[in-house]
Amino acid sequence: MDFTFTEEQQAAAEAAAAVFADTAPDVVPSPALVSGAVADDFDRALWSRLAAADLLGLVLAEEHGGAGLGATALCLVLREAGRVLARVPLLEHCATAAALQAHAGPELAAALLPGAGAGRPVLTAAAHGRTGHDPAELAVTARRDGADWLLDGMQTAVPWAHGADWIAVPAHTGGGEAVLALVPRGAPGLALADQFSTSGERLAELTLNGVRVPAAHLIQAPQAWERLRGLLTLGTCALALGAGSAVLGMTSRYTAQREQFGFPVATFQAVAVQAADRYVDLRAMEAVLWQAAWRLDADGAGGPLPAAGDLAVAKIWASEGVRRIVQTAQHLHGGLGADTGYPLHRYHAWAKQLELQLGPAAAHEQELGDLLAAHPLS
């Protein structure tokens, strides 16, 4: 394995850093000061800048106007997005586009992919099932009705659904088969109810009541949902890494400037030890993220366990690591950490939302244990 980034991947990260340079984490009201969503829509101006920088087509082939890069490049860009708490459906859009490119039929690919690199249409995905704890593909049923399919069920906490044009909805056919349907936001029988994330973003609860989907808009290859779920998981870990990096930087700068007894608090052993532990968390989050990204880019080749094992390790570290980083930052900042005029509390809210999206580390440890049992390393 060689984790050295290619020139193309480094260029994508640099372009993303330039686009996000003027993005501040407090461009919307604080989630602590509003009872509903901090905004009704995502940051359309930032979305346009990402499109102009060709960052929305990173994972698309050149024939679709993309750069032909993979999961690693996408995670590098998402890491930059996480640093500034960028309010755009970058992860969901790119992950859905990648799944469509790999598995969609010609008609669906021709309808959605040519404009995806320009951010038109906007794509998102439903990945949390009914409760956020059950498999998303089991929350919706898909049954044939002549040449079409009918979808019934519910998906919770769908990000950016109110502003997206198309929603990727996993479903099952009753025979244990997972399918992926692309549903326009205004489809008859599809209802969106407001939900609000811990970070104050507007989510949607999707209720599907006999939503009719043409056969060309439903992908029956089970690998499509697996690919989309893997990219969504990996990208969430990348967002957590970016947020954690920003918070650790804030903590380092604050403790270097804040003085007690005439000395910067960063020089106190108790403070330095806590900061060092969080630095270890961040480096571990980074190492396992690139390992998992490399496995996805290699289509799972190159390891004794399936790529799901690397994703489980990445989820464990991202979920636990970002929580520990923001908690320590709050502690070391003292009362300033809770000041709504200082951005740390926003990172804390986003970190908690990312942790909830990833799920508890214990569940991922059990998943990893099951994989180890099924694939002995000896």
Side-chain angles (χ1 to χ4, degrees):
M1 292 174 290
D2 182 3
F3 288 156
T4 303
F5 300 125
T6 66
E7 291 183 4
E8 292 82 2
Q9 292 167 344
Q10 291 172 340
E14 291 167 2
V19 171
F20 293 127
D22 297 328
T23 302
D26 53 359
V27 293
V28 292
S30 165
L33 301 179
V34 295
S35 58
V38 294
D40 290 334
D41 198 7
F42 61 84
D43 190 337
R44 295 278 178 173
L46 178 57
W47 188 249
S48 296
R49 295 200 299 272
L50 288 167
D54 296 326
L55 291 173
L56 300 182
L58 277 179
V59 298
L60 296 178
E62 293 183 6
E63 63 189 272
H64 298 305
L69 300 178
T72 300
L74 177 59
C75 285
L76 284 166
V77 173
L78 289 168
R79 180 183 63 179
E80 299 305 317
R83 291 185 196 274
V84 297
L85 308 183
R87 301 183 53 261
V88 287
L90 178 61
L91 167 58
E92 295 80 11
H93 180 85
C94 292
T96 302
L100 291 176
Q101 177 174 251
H103 301 287
E107 181 178 336
L108 183 58
L112 298 183
L113 292 183
R120 300 184 305 272
V122 178
L123 310 174
T124 191
H128 301 297
R130 288 180 176 272
T131 65
H133 300 288
D134 53 336
E137 68 273 17
L138 299 182
V140 175
T141 60
R143 53 189 172 88
R144 280 194 176 275
D145 185 59
D148 299 332
W149 291 80
L150 295 180
L151 302 182
D152 294 281
M154 187 181 76
Q155 295 278 357
T156 193
V158 181
W160 318 112
H162 292 280
D165 300 300
W166 291 80
I167 305 170
V169 180
H172 70 96
T173 60
E177 299 174 350
V179 297
L180 188 65
L182 270 293
V183 181
R185 176 166 47 90
L190 177 65
L192 278 65
D194 279 355
Q195 294 179 315
F196 307 110
S197 72
T198 302
S199 56
E201 297 299 336
R202 189 184 185 197
L203 308 176
E205 178 185 82
L206 267 60
T207 301
L208 301 99
N209 185 13
V211 174
R212 185 170 296 274
V213 177
H217 290 184
L218 187 137
I219 306 172
Q220 297 189 57
Q223 297 87 353
W225 167 233
E226 290 298 321
R227 180 183 293 269
L228 176 55
R229 178 168 55 186
L231 281 172
L232 290 172
T233 296
L234 188 70
T236 304
C237 294
L239 291 171
L241 176 63
S245 299
V247 169
L248 197 62
M250 292 170 60
T251 305
S252 175
R253 291 188 294 272
Y254 176 77
T255 56
Q257 297 168 1
R258 177 76 166 90
E259 291 189 359
Q260 284 186 353
F261 312 112
F263 297 93
V265 297
T267 62
F268 299 167
Q269 186 178 28
V271 172
V273 166
Q274 291 181 72
D277 285 343
R278 301 296 78 83
Y279 177 81
V280 171
D281 279 336
L282 195 69
R283 294 283 75 82
M285 290 166 62
E286 188 172 32
V288 297
L289 171 68
W290 302 133
Q291 164 77 7
W294 177 79
R295 290 296 306 281
L296 286 191
D297 280 337
D299 289 327
L305 294 178
D310 297 281
L311 283 172
V313 174
K315 286 188 287 186
I316 291 168
W317 276 102
S319 177
E320 293 277 279
V322 74
R323 174 179 55 78
R324 288 194 292 256
I325 289 170
V326 296
Q327 286 180 343
T328 297
Q330 288 278 12
H331 174 63
L332 296 182
H333 274 83
L336 182 61
D339 186 345
T340 56
Y342 187 71
L344 180 57
H345 76 287
R346 296 175 185 269
Y347 283 95
H348 201 160
W350 273 72
K352 176 53 67 174
Q353 178 61 33
L354 292 170
E355 182 187 2
L356 291 171
Q357 288 177 217
L358 289 167
H364 310 320
E365 290 165 354
Q366 181 176 347
E367 177 186 2
L368 183 60
D370 292 341
L371 286 170
L372 288 167
H375 301 82
L377 302 181
S378 57

